[in-house]
Amino acid sequence: MFWRTFSGLARLSSWRRPQHRAGRPRKRSPYRWILAIVAALGGLLLFCLFVVPQIRRFRFRTDLSWYDLGVHGFGPSQSYVSFDQDSPVVQISPSDAQCDGRYTFIAPRGDSVAYPGPMILDARGELVWTRHQWGTTQDFRVQRYRGEDFLTYWQGDEEDAHGRGSWYMLDSTYTQRYVVSPVGNLDGDLHEFQITPNGTALIIIYEPIPADLTSVGGPELGWLYDGILQELDIATGELLFEWRSSSFFSPNSSYEPLRDRGHERTAGYDYIHFNSVDKDDQGRYLVSGRHTHSITCIDGNTGDVLWNLGGAQNEFSDTSEDAKVDFHWQHDARWRGPNTISLFDNEVEADTDPTPVSRGMMVEVDAPARQVKLLRTYDHPQAMMTPSQGNLQLLDTGNVFVGWGHSAAYTEFTSKGDVVCDVHFGASAFFSFGRIVSYRVTKSDWVGMPNTIPDAAFAGDSIFVSWNGATEVATWRLEAWDGLNLSNMTFNPISQVPRTTFETEIPLTPELDSYLRVCAVNTNGEVIGMTDVFSRISAHPRGIFASVRNWGAVLIGIFALCCLVFGVYCAISRRLRGRRSISGGSYQPVRPRDDDDNESELDRLPV
Ligand SMILES: *[C@@H]1O[C@H](CO)[C@@H](O)[C@H](O)[C@H]1NC(C)=O
Ligand SMILES: *[C@@H]1O[C@H](CO)[C@@H](O)[C@H](O)[C@H]1NC(C)=O
Ligand SMILES: *[C@@H]1O[C@H](CO)[C@@H](O)[C@H](O)[C@H]1NC(C)=O
Ligand SMILES: *[C@@H]1O[C@H](CO)[C@@H](O)[C@H](O)[C@H]1NC(C)=O
């Protein structure tokens, strides 16, 4: 009975169905299809744009730690309660490494860096000082000028892989004392600011000049970036020496493809790409041209090229036994003796280059005989590929310190090339993504005595104190008002906590409800700084979204997710509707059967 009614209804509906199918779905269908296709295209585009290149660049090795595999993020960072910027969380290997105890000077930047700027870390990778800068900071290090240590860095706008800015010098209180700019109507480039013992600065400038580029397949009335080195007197700003790459190197000595460059003044052919200048006590300049693969020695009096090593205009033969002085795309060429130079050999310019191992190099140069010999290389334990940036520093211990530029790592080697200490400030599996990089990394002593006061903030039952840039704090001393005279307050010590990291937590007992302050005490027991006086208040928990900084990435992620969900929805709903219409069409053939029909069907089944 029930079945008959149902089958009647079903027949009714199947009789009515053609109307439905002729009506609603036909109107909707093309519209939904277009949406589904757009969504699928969007998803595919996002996948190709963001996921495929990343997968291709991922450098997996079986010996990677969780840190290097990116479990803590591309560039793991830590935040503070009393200080509103982050600092990297580093990985030091081996775990018992005896790293040089001095401070590390880096300028992290990249998509995974929330607060790019100059930064000092201690030997364990703990933050000492940082300052968030809106422009780009490069080449941050300590240099001596007139017997005083200065923090020096370049700051400005980066465009076209070079810079338009100036060089800054901060004293031990982090106060800006000098700003150095090139002589002439020129912008200072980011790559070099080297102070000589004579109180002069060696700097680099990229100047667009008219040039005939037909020898490299470019326009006759073209433009190239001339590499200029200047030596200036820092105190007076007087120009002491200037040398131009175009006086020696022609455009066709470059290994940099012209591509679409060279037609406009603002998009010149970057044929030489100077990236370091050094000077020895004989007054000879040593200048590195990345795109000509050349290291050139220039007479400081005449400006004559004394010799040129590497590239198309190489004058040297290689007398090394097994390894070769075959550097490419190099950085940071420095004098290490009258006949010895060091450099950072990138070896690669792009991720796609076939020989992907970058290294530090020590080279002996016999200029009269025009012979070079490779003395030593400094290789990263993970066979690092660094397509840009990088530097090599010779420590006074004899050890060699290498910053891996585009790869977020720095490594200390013995003079023989054995790894003493390898520090990563980003996940090495993702180094080729360049999400966290530092043009150079150096080691140095430093005494910082900021002319600010220490920062303090409550959280939970503790007070957190820090003092950005203060290197001399040994102990933090919590003091409470004695409760006697508000117009002449006196404080009693409550507790002392040794300072071990950037921020120190001082626990508070519940009965401490007086006015408080924290004093910074040095190793001699002298108070060198004091926080403001504060009273205890309930802590404000940090917003949950405070840590989500890369809003662009978040939005793209949400959009991609929406595309995906919509695409899946479209696919499923079509499928369901498809199935429904099939079952709708089969209402008639699949008729509810009587028990007899079932029996007869059972009879027909093979036994
Ligand atoms: C480079 O160009 C110069 C002329 O500008 C020419 O004399 C020289 O032979 C060229 N060198 C090469 C390697 O093509
Ligand atoms: C410093 O000045 C002296 C004297 O003028 C000169 O001999 C020497 O080469 C200079 N050194 C550098 C690095 O410029
Ligand atoms: C404040 O009190 C201290 C002792 O507690 C005293 O030596 C000092 O003179 C007082 N200052 C003033 C301005 O009265
Ligand atoms: C508190 O200190 C001020 C300034 O030193 C002084 O004038 C005043 O008499 C003191 N008050 C008491 C109650 O001691």
Side-chain angles (χ1 to χ4, degrees):
M1 177 60 196
F2 170 78
W3 278 117
R4 293 231 159 88
T5 323
F6 181 80
S7 99
L9 275 173
R11 260 181 220 131
L12 199 66
S13 73
S14 66
W15 170 75
R16 278 176 153 201
R17 196 151 270 271
Q19 278 187 339
H20 277 265
R21 288 160 100 195
R24 271 160 56 210
R26 203 167 282 171
K27 250 189 227 162
R28 264 200 206 164
S29 175
Y31 166 69
R32 289 211 172 180
W33 266 112
I34 288 167
L35 267 185
I37 288 169
V38 167
L41 275 180
L44 193 69
L45 190 70
L46 283 175
F47 188 79
C48 292
L49 272 180
F50 294 99
V51 183
V52 172
Q54 318 300 20
I55 292 171
R56 286 181 52 193
R57 291 157 81 186
F58 185 78
R59 300 192 79 218
F60 181 76
R61 294 167 58 97
T62 48
D63 57 351
L64 295 187
S65 63
W66 291 118
Y67 180 99
D68 279 337
L69 285 169
V71 167
H72 310 294
F74 294 121
S77 64
Q78 60 179 317
S79 56
Y80 302 95
V81 178
S82 57
F83 186 62
D84 61 2
Q85 289 165 50
D86 289 358
S87 70
V89 174
V90 306
Q91 172 190 264
I92 301 177
S93 34
S95 51
D96 59 346
Q98 299 295 307
C99 317
D100 187 284
R102 283 171 278 197
Y103 296 108
T104 309
F105 296 78
I106 68 175
R109 59 185 214 286
D111 292 344
S112 292
V113 182
Y115 301 100
M119 185 178 280
I120 307 175
L121 303 176
D122 71 12
R124 295 160 303 154
E126 296 288 343
L127 180 63
V128 174
W129 177 77
T130 187
R131 180 181 288 168
H132 178 46
Q133 314 254 49
W134 288 110
T136 311
T137 305
Q138 307 274 21
D139 191 18
F140 175 54
R141 51 187 162 137
V142 174
Q143 298 195 74
R144 219 166 169 76
Y145 172 64
R146 290 184 164 175
E148 188 179 346
D149 279 341
F150 285 88
L151 296 175
T152 67
Y153 57 84
W154 174 91
Q155 203 203 321
D157 296 322
E158 198 182 334
E159 49 185 65
D160 238 7
H162 64 272
R164 298 164 67 89
S166 301
W167 300 273
Y168 297 82
M169 294 170 66
L170 312 185
D171 64 17
S172 64
T173 67
Y174 303 93
T175 306
Q176 185 178 303
R177 288 264 296 278
Y178 299 91
V179 182
V180 178
S181 298
V183 172
N185 186 23
L186 300 164
D187 293 304
D189 171 59
L190 60 90
H191 286 93
E192 185 71 285
F193 181 66
Q194 176 82 359
I195 298 177
T196 72
N198 289 359
T200 64
L202 307 174
I203 58 170
I204 287 174
I205 299 138
Y206 285 45
E207 188 190 18
I209 59 164
D212 179 353
L213 299 180
T214 46
S215 69
V216 289
E220 195 177 344
L221 303 178
W223 294 91
L224 60 74
Y225 290 127
D226 199 4
I228 305 176
L229 90 80
Q230 285 188 346
E231 180 170 0
L232 310 175
D233 187 303
I234 292 175
T236 64
E238 184 194 349
L239 179 65
L240 305 173
F241 182 83
E242 183 176 275
W243 192 82
R244 285 173 174 272
S245 65
S246 55
S247 69
F248 182 73
F249 291 98
S250 52
N252 59 1
S253 47
S254 181
Y255 293 87
E256 175 74 358
L258 180 69
R259 300 196 182 93
D260 59 346
R261 317 305 305 246
H263 293 273
E264 290 169 62
R265 192 175 196 283
T266 51
Y269 177 39
D270 187 9
Y271 87 116
I272 185 119
H273 199 91
F274 274 170
N275 57 21
S276 74
V277 189
D278 202 23
K279 194 181 181 190
D280 72 357
D281 50 16
Q282 299 173 30
R284 301 179 301 169
Y285 297 98
L286 191 70
V287 54
S288 158
R290 170 174 159 92
H291 291 173
T292 42
H293 301 175
S294 63
I295 294 174
T296 312
C297 178
I298 297 156
D299 188 297
N301 295 316
T302 63
D304 292 341
V305 171
L306 299 175
W307 47 258
N308 182 63
L309 169 65
Q313 283 160 257
N314 177 46
E315 298 166 13
F316 286 79
S317 62
D318 192 341
T319 59
S320 323
E321 277 153 29
D322 37 7
K324 293 262 165 62
V325 189
D326 55 349
F327 55 84
H328 303 96
W329 313 107
Q330 81 288 341
H331 281 82
D332 202 30
R334 304 269 166 212
W335 291 112
R336 299 300 178 192
N339 303 310
T340 313
I341 61 170
S342 70
L343 61 122
F344 182 83
D345 174 23
N346 294 75
E347 198 58 31
V348 291
E349 190 194 24
D351 300 346
T352 48
D353 284 10
T355 47
V357 181
S358 311
R359 60 223 173 131
M361 247 189 204
M362 205 66 80
V363 177
E364 192 180 75
V365 181
D366 181 352
R370 290 295 190 269
Q371 285 182 338
V372 283
K373 191 174 165 191
L374 185 65
L375 296 177
R376 195 88 63 196
T377 62
Y378 300 93
D379 300 273
H380 192 270
Q382 292 180 2
M384 197 73 84
M385 181 180 81
T386 295
S388 69
Q389 309 161 77
N391 69 302
L392 186 150
Q393 182 190 6
L394 193 59
L395 301 175
D396 57 10
T397 57
N399 282 2
V400 168
F401 186 76
V402 174
W404 299 94
H406 188 268
S407 301
Y410 46 88
T411 310
E412 185 186 342
F413 297 89
T414 64
S415 61
K416 293 200 170 80
D418 298 321
V419 175
V420 175
C421 168
D422 181 36
V423 183
H424 293 188
F425 53 104
S428 70
F430 303 93
F431 276 174
S432 57
F433 294 37
R435 293 190 62 92
I436 169 164
V437 306
S438 180
Y439 170 49
R440 285 174 176 167
V441 186
T442 58
K443 278 261 170 188
S444 186
D445 286 316
W446 178 246
V447 176
M449 293 195 283
N451 52 16
T452 56
I453 61 167
D455 297 303
F458 288 100
D461 288 327
S462 297
I463 177 160
F464 290 79
V465 277
S466 62
W467 197 2
N468 189 23
T471 56
E472 304 306 292
V473 183
T475 315
W476 292 107
R477 187 167 72 212
L478 176 68
E479 298 182 345
W481 178 48
D482 60 9
L484 295 177
N485 192 334
L486 256 185
S487 38
N488 182 16
M489 298 173 90
T490 48
F491 286 80
N492 296 325
I494 303 294
S495 60
Q496 296 226 82
V497 179
R499 187 198 72 132
T500 51
T501 58
F502 180 75
E503 185 170 68
T504 304
E505 179 179 0
I506 306 175
L508 298 175
T509 50
E511 59 271 17
L512 262 183
D513 53 1
S514 174
Y515 291 107
L516 302 168
R517 71 182 186 193
V518 181
C519 297
V521 180
N522 68 11
T523 46
N524 298 331
E526 297 155 0
V527 173
I528 54 171
M530 211 181 276
T531 63
D532 282 326
V533 173
F534 46 86
S535 56
R536 201 169 179 179
I537 44 152
S538 61
H540 296 286
R542 291 183 139 202
I544 194 164
F545 292 110
S547 58
V548 182
R549 281 188 203 84
N550 211 335
W551 281 106
V554 170
L555 288 179
I556 288 169
I558 290 172
F559 178 67
L561 200 66
C562 289
C563 283
L564 191 71
V565 167
F566 185 72
V568 169
Y569 166 76
C570 286
I572 288 176
S573 71
R574 272 223 63 86
R575 209 144 221 258
L576 282 182
R577 258 186 302 121
R579 205 174 280 168
R580 233 184 276 140
S581 56
I582 288 167
S583 54
S586 58
Y587 272 120
Q588 278 174 306
V590 185
R591 276 182 208 153
R593 299 177 195 98
D594 302 332
D595 286 353
D596 302 4
D597 289 345
N598 282 340
E599 268 168 28
S600 61
E601 197 174 345
L602 272 177
D603 289 344
R604 263 182 268 123
L605 280 175
V607 183

